[in-house]
């Protein structure tokens, strides 16, 4: 990709966090603050190398440790601080947090079935709905773009956050959100020509 920023364009670089600690495999984790697995640190370093020549004005991250651990290698050597922004935390799974999918199904069968059928509609018990997450993420995205007009900045967060911003840019319905893959440490680029987004790169493996 040509990383030169066209005049007047606001560029958003979205990075998903690296692979989380192995104990989270097969479990629901959104609010839970888990760090990276060794492989996740390797992925974060690769993402940093991929973005090494990109002139970033600012670097933002979700408050979760897995996102911060992915953002730090990107910040190194740039003289940039990693700015935490609560708007970009992953969805809160409520009582599902930390459960395996089998445990969630056993303890909350009706809600689990609704989640599998309509993930964009379910409310997790004592947690969030997707629409609630979508609104805070989109509002956060608008705020950052207003703060950095005609600049390039990066946001390191989560699969759900990236899908939300990409789906907004592509005009996709909520029900189609999970047609967008987001690998661990995937890099995405959205260019905004005023209010008109163009997706330049999606789900690139570092």
């Amino acid at each position: 990709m040509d990383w030169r920023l066209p005049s007047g364009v606001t560029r958003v670089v979205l990075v998903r966090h690296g692979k989380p600690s192995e104990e989270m495999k097969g479990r629901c984790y959104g609010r839970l603050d888990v760090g990276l697995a060794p492989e996740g640190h390797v992925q974060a370093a690769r993402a940093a190398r991929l973005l090494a020549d990109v002139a970033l004005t600012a670097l933002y991250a979700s408050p979760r440790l897995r996102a911060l651990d992915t953002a730090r290698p990107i910040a190194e050597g740039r003289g940039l601080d990693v700015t935490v922004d609560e708007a970009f935390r992953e969805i809160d799974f409520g009582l599902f947090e930390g459960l395996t999918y089998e445990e969630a199904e056993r303890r909350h069968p009706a809600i689990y079935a609704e989640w599998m059928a309509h993930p964009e509609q379910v409310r997790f018990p004592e947690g969030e709905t997707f629409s609630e997450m979508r609104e805070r993420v989109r509002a956060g995205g608008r705020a950052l773009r207003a703060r950095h007009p005609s600049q390039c900045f990066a946001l390191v967060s989560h699969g759900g956050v990236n899908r939300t911003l990409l789906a907004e840019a592509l005009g996709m319905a909520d029900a189609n959100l999970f047609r967008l893959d987001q690998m661990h440490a995937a890099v995405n680029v959205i260019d905004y020509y005023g209010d008109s987004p163009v997706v330049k790169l999606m789900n690139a493996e570092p």
Side-chain angles (χ1 to χ4, degrees):
M1 174 170 165
D2 185 351
W3 289 102
R4 290 174 296 181
L5 185 65
S7 177
V9 170
T10 301
R11 174 167 290 168
V12 183
V13 180
L14 303 174
V15 183
R16 188 188 180 192
H17 63 77
K19 183 179 179 181
S21 299
E22 192 64 29
E23 65 265 24
M24 287 297 105
K25 186 176 182 179
R27 295 184 180 273
C28 303
Y29 62 97
R31 183 183 70 242
L32 286 181
D33 203 15
V34 298
L36 296 179
E39 182 181 348
H41 286 286
V42 172
Q43 292 167 335
R46 288 176 182 162
R49 287 196 293 271
L50 177 62
L51 299 174
D53 295 329
V54 181
L56 296 176
T57 299
L59 176 59
Y60 295 89
S62 156
R64 302 299 177 240
L65 183 60
R66 55 194 183 275
L68 292 170
D69 282 350
T70 304
R72 288 185 184 110
I74 299 172
E76 287 176 6
R78 294 179 181 269
L80 288 178
D81 293 325
V82 179
T83 302
V84 173
D85 195 320
E86 288 281 345
F88 303 108
R89 64 190 187 277
E90 183 60 285
I91 195 167
D92 186 341
F93 287 103
L95 295 181
F96 281 27
E97 290 281 346
L99 299 181
T100 65
Y101 290 91
E102 293 79 9
E103 289 168 340
E105 182 178 21
R106 187 167 61 250
R107 296 184 192 184
H108 308 279
I111 297 172
Y112 184 88
E114 184 183 1
W115 182 27
M116 293 298 104
H118 303 288
E120 79 285 2
Q121 297 178 15
V122 68
R123 173 177 290 283
F124 295 101
E126 300 185 19
E128 284 185 295
T129 63
F130 169 72
S131 62
E132 289 169 340
M133 185 195 77
R134 179 192 64 211
E135 292 313 306
R136 65 170 163 80
V137 168
R138 287 184 176 182
R142 289 192 297 271
L144 292 189
R145 295 195 300 273
R147 193 179 304 165
H148 298 287
S150 302
Q151 297 176 352
C152 176
F153 64 90
L155 168 63
V156 182
S157 60
H158 307 273
V161 172
N162 286 0
R163 289 186 182 98
T164 298
L165 293 171
L166 287 164
E168 178 188 31
L170 293 167
M172 291 177 61
D174 291 347
N176 298 332
L177 191 77
F178 290 95
R179 295 181 182 181
L180 300 174
D181 192 15
Q182 283 294 287
M183 298 180 295
H184 288 124
V187 175
N188 311 266
V189 176
I190 308 174
D191 281 357
Y192 289 85
Y193 295 79
D195 292 328
S196 299
V198 176
V199 176
K200 302 286 287 187
L201 185 69
M202 187 161 57
N203 198 37
E205 185 177 12

